[in-house]
Amino acid sequence: MTGVFVTGTDTGIGKTLVSAWLVRSWQADYWKPVQSGIADGLDADVVRAVAPDAVVHPSAFLLNAPLSPHRAASLDGVAIALGDFHLPRTSRPLVVEGAGGVLVPLNDRHFMADLMVHLGLPVVLVARSGLGTINHSLLSLEALQRRGVTVAGVVMSGPPNDDNRQAVEHFSGVPVVGQLPQLGGPEGLTRHPPLAWRPWGIS
Ligand SMILES: Nc1ncnc2c1ncn2[C@@H]1O[C@H](COP(=O)(O)OP(=O)(O)O)[C@@H](O)[C@H]1O
Ligand SMILES: [Mg+2]
């Protein structure tokens, strides 16, 4: 299995947009294992709109409330267990998009970080490019590293900021492997060049 697990420093930080960019760049499949707030729209539909040829695998959990998965699941009367998650089989690269950030709970014991360990894919951390990103990126990377998660790289979203990029690389030792500028919206991806970077195993 070749692919990445895309997490972020926050919700609404650009995970879906960056995931769609990776899907387009690598002709990859897409999988959103846990989707909360389904009435507000599905991340999978955003990816489908800008990558119509991509195979989109069904979510393991579609939850109603626009809340953390642990709470949204409990409101739906559903229990989430790590054993419920199995990587979809595919011969193409796979881009998996998490919900929220690294320490978002799935249930009363497990976090998104535990799902990353369970699935065993290298992680891409999406971070904002601007003010605040050094703190949020380093906190997220520290939490990932102490759990033994392999981090392939950081992708920054928003107006490029070389100072922040260099600070994150210097203090974390993790490379910033991509920079998605401010686009007009997801459809801007269709005019944006592919990301040349490939993590191990993706050629
Ligand atoms: N680089 C960017 N250019 C333009 N819009 C962006 C960019 N990054 C994120 N956005 C916008 O911010 C919002 C949240 O992004 P999204 O990818 O859905 O975040 P997440 O998946 O982390 O919740 C969306 O409306 C998205 O289009
Ligand atoms: Mg998303």
Side-chain angles (χ1 to χ4, degrees):
M1 169 60 64
T2 59
V4 293
F5 189 109
V6 176
T7 188
T9 56
D10 200 354
T11 188
I13 205 72
K15 293 185 302 295
T16 302
L17 221 59
V18 168
S19 296
W21 188 30
L22 300 181
V23 165
R24 287 177 57 88
S25 300
W26 302 338
Q27 284 79 52
D29 292 6
Y30 173 84
W31 184 42
K32 175 90 180 178
V34 184
Q35 173 75 66
S36 299
I38 55 176
D40 300 336
L42 306 179
D43 288 356
D45 287 340
V46 176
V47 174
R48 274 196 196 95
V50 296
D53 298 332
V55 173
V56 173
H57 296 274
S59 295
F61 292 93
L62 291 171
L63 306 170
N64 283 297
L67 297 173
S68 165
H70 81 293
R71 184 65 186 133
S74 119
L75 290 172
D76 282 348
V78 171
I80 298 178
L82 288 181
D84 295 325
F85 297 97
H86 309 280
L87 281 173
R89 288 179 175 278
T90 174
S91 56
R92 289 172 296 273
L94 178 68
V95 173
V96 181
E97 182 186 343
V102 173
L103 293 188
V104 162
L106 287 168
N107 53 37
D108 59 5
R109 290 178 45 221
H110 296 115
F111 297 106
M112 270 292 150
D114 298 303
L115 178 59
M116 299 173 209
V117 171
H118 173 74
L119 294 176
L121 293 176
V123 164
V124 168
L125 177 72
V126 178
R128 78 162 61 82
S129 54
L131 191 62
T133 198
I134 300 174
N135 178 56
H136 290 144
S137 297
L138 297 180
L139 283 169
S140 300
L141 292 168
E142 197 171 290
L144 289 167
Q145 285 162 343
R146 69 184 285 260
R147 287 169 173 79
V149 175
T150 301
V151 183
V154 173
V155 173
M156 289 189 158
S157 185
N161 182 315
D162 276 348
D163 282 347
N164 288 341
R165 176 190 186 123
Q166 284 165 21
V168 167
E169 290 186 330
H170 171 76
F171 289 108
S172 70
V174 174
V176 175
V177 295
Q179 163 69 61
L180 190 63
Q182 196 65 30
L183 304 171
E187 61 286 350
L189 274 180
T190 58
R191 296 178 297 278
H192 192 68
L195 178 63
W197 173 78
R198 305 273 188 283
W200 322 283
I202 293 180
S203 55

